[in-house]
mmCIF file of all heavy atoms in Angstrom:
data_model
loop_
_atom_site.group_PDB
_atom_site.id
_atom_site.type_symbol
_atom_site.label_atom_id
_atom_site.label_comp_id
_atom_site.label_asym_id
_atom_site.label_seq_id
_atom_site.Cartn_x
_atom_site.Cartn_y
_atom_site.Cartn_z
ATOM 1 N N VAL T 75 93.260 90.644 97.203
ATOM 2 C CA VAL T 75 94.181 90.814 96.103
ATOM 3 C C VAL T 75 94.944 89.512 95.900
ATOM 4 O O VAL T 75 95.376 88.860 96.841
ATOM 5 C CB VAL T 75 95.172 91.988 96.396
ATOM 6 C CG1 VAL T 75 96.296 91.998 95.356
ATOM 7 C CG2 VAL T 75 94.468 93.304 96.420
ATOM 8 N N ASN T 76 95.060 89.105 94.597
ATOM 9 C CA ASN T 76 95.925 87.976 94.281
ATOM 10 C C ASN T 76 96.867 88.392 93.172
ATOM 11 O O ASN T 76 96.926 89.605 92.808
ATOM 12 C CB ASN T 76 95.099 86.744 93.960
ATOM 13 C CG ASN T 76 94.235 86.901 92.750
ATOM 14 O OD1 ASN T 76 94.479 87.758 91.876
ATOM 15 N ND2 ASN T 76 93.162 86.089 92.666
ATOM 16 N N ASP T 77 97.584 87.440 92.578
ATOM 17 C CA ASP T 77 98.564 87.749 91.542
ATOM 18 C C ASP T 77 97.894 88.385 90.295
ATOM 19 O O ASP T 77 98.584 89.091 89.550
ATOM 20 C CB ASP T 77 99.318 86.479 91.107
ATOM 21 C CG ASP T 77 100.275 86.027 92.187
ATOM 22 O OD1 ASP T 77 100.628 86.826 93.072
ATOM 23 O OD2 ASP T 77 100.629 84.837 92.160
ATOM 24 N N LEU T 78 96.644 88.099 90.064
ATOM 25 C CA LEU T 78 95.938 88.613 88.870
ATOM 26 C C LEU T 78 95.423 90.038 89.086
ATOM 27 O O LEU T 78 95.500 90.872 88.222
ATOM 28 C CB LEU T 78 94.818 87.664 88.466
ATOM 29 C CG LEU T 78 94.079 88.053 87.177
ATOM 30 C CD1 LEU T 78 94.984 88.143 85.985
ATOM 31 C CD2 LEU T 78 92.948 87.048 86.928
ATOM 32 N N GLY T 79 94.838 90.294 90.298
ATOM 33 C CA GLY T 79 94.252 91.603 90.473
ATOM 34 C C GLY T 79 93.437 91.712 91.733
ATOM 35 O O GLY T 79 93.669 90.948 92.712
ATOM 36 N N LEU T 80 92.473 92.644 91.748
ATOM 37 C CA LEU T 80 91.632 92.929 92.888
ATOM 38 C C LEU T 80 90.300 92.219 92.729
ATOM 39 O O LEU T 80 89.527 92.477 91.761
ATOM 40 C CB LEU T 80 91.380 94.421 92.995
ATOM 41 C CG LEU T 80 90.363 94.877 94.038
ATOM 42 C CD1 LEU T 80 90.915 94.641 95.481
ATOM 43 C CD2 LEU T 80 90.024 96.372 93.877
ATOM 44 N N LEU T 81 89.970 91.345 93.673
ATOM 45 C CA LEU T 81 88.702 90.638 93.702
ATOM 46 C C LEU T 81 87.746 91.347 94.687
ATOM 47 O O LEU T 81 88.177 91.759 95.762
ATOM 48 C CB LEU T 81 88.912 89.224 94.206
ATOM 49 C CG LEU T 81 89.493 88.193 93.281
ATOM 50 C CD1 LEU T 81 89.935 86.955 94.043
ATOM 51 C CD2 LEU T 81 88.473 87.831 92.223
ATOM 52 N N LEU T 82 86.510 91.448 94.305
ATOM 53 C CA LEU T 82 85.489 91.963 95.184
ATOM 54 C C LEU T 82 84.266 91.035 95.156
ATOM 55 O O LEU T 82 83.903 90.544 94.086
ATOM 56 C CB LEU T 82 85.026 93.338 94.693
ATOM 57 C CG LEU T 82 85.933 94.538 94.748
ATOM 58 C CD1 LEU T 82 85.189 95.761 94.183
ATOM 59 C CD2 LEU T 82 86.404 94.810 96.120
ATOM 60 N N LYS T 83 83.726 90.880 96.330
ATOM 61 C CA LYS T 83 82.378 90.283 96.383
ATOM 62 C C LYS T 83 81.424 91.451 96.526
ATOM 63 O O LYS T 83 81.538 92.249 97.477
ATOM 64 C CB LYS T 83 82.246 89.328 97.559
ATOM 65 C CG LYS T 83 80.865 88.608 97.552
ATOM 66 C CD LYS T 83 80.798 87.541 98.640
ATOM 67 C CE LYS T 83 79.544 86.720 98.470
ATOM 68 N NZ LYS T 83 79.553 85.581 99.428
ATOM 69 N N VAL T 84 80.502 91.585 95.574
ATOM 70 C CA VAL T 84 79.606 92.739 95.487
ATOM 71 C C VAL T 84 78.178 92.318 95.774
ATOM 72 O O VAL T 84 77.666 91.372 95.211
ATOM 73 C CB VAL T 84 79.708 93.274 94.040
ATOM 74 C CG1 VAL T 84 78.632 94.335 93.806
ATOM 75 C CG2 VAL T 84 81.099 93.817 93.757
ATOM 76 N N TYR T 85 77.569 93.043 96.696
ATOM 77 C CA TYR T 85 76.139 92.892 96.989
ATOM 78 C C TYR T 85 75.384 93.929 96.169
ATOM 79 O O TYR T 85 75.759 95.130 96.156
ATOM 80 C CB TYR T 85 75.887 93.122 98.506
ATOM 81 C CG TYR T 85 74.427 93.405 98.778
ATOM 82 C CD1 TYR T 85 73.452 92.392 98.796
ATOM 83 C CD2 TYR T 85 74.002 94.716 99.067
ATOM 84 C CE1 TYR T 85 72.137 92.685 99.068
ATOM 85 C CE2 TYR T 85 72.685 94.979 99.370
ATOM 86 C CZ TYR T 85 71.746 93.984 99.348
ATOM 87 O OH TYR T 85 70.459 94.245 99.597
ATOM 88 N N ILE T 86 74.283 93.506 95.502
ATOM 89 C CA ILE T 86 73.493 94.418 94.742
ATOM 90 C C ILE T 86 72.161 94.496 95.414
ATOM 91 O O ILE T 86 71.426 93.500 95.568
ATOM 92 C CB ILE T 86 73.375 93.977 93.274
ATOM 93 C CG1 ILE T 86 74.754 93.891 92.644
ATOM 94 C CG2 ILE T 86 72.473 94.966 92.515
ATOM 95 C CD1 ILE T 86 74.792 93.285 91.231
ATOM 96 N N SER T 87 71.730 95.710 95.780
ATOM 97 C CA SER T 87 70.513 96.009 96.489
ATOM 98 C C SER T 87 69.247 95.666 95.708
ATOM 99 O O SER T 87 69.318 95.589 94.458
ATOM 100 C CB SER T 87 70.520 97.466 96.935
ATOM 101 O OG SER T 87 69.290 97.792 97.542
ATOM 102 N N ASP T 88 68.136 95.546 96.421
ATOM 103 C CA ASP T 88 66.848 95.415 95.772
ATOM 104 C C ASP T 88 65.942 96.590 96.131
ATOM 105 O O ASP T 88 64.749 96.569 95.905
ATOM 106 C CB ASP T 88 66.168 94.123 96.110
ATOM 107 C CG ASP T 88 65.785 94.018 97.570
ATOM 108 O OD1 ASP T 88 66.211 94.890 98.390
ATOM 109 O OD2 ASP T 88 65.053 93.047 97.935
#
Side-chain angles (χ1 to χ4, degrees):
V75 170
N76 64 22
D77 290 340
L78 184 58
L80 174 67
L81 283 166
L82 292 179
K83 185 172 189 176
V84 171
Y85 162 77
I86 301 173
S87 176
D88 66 351

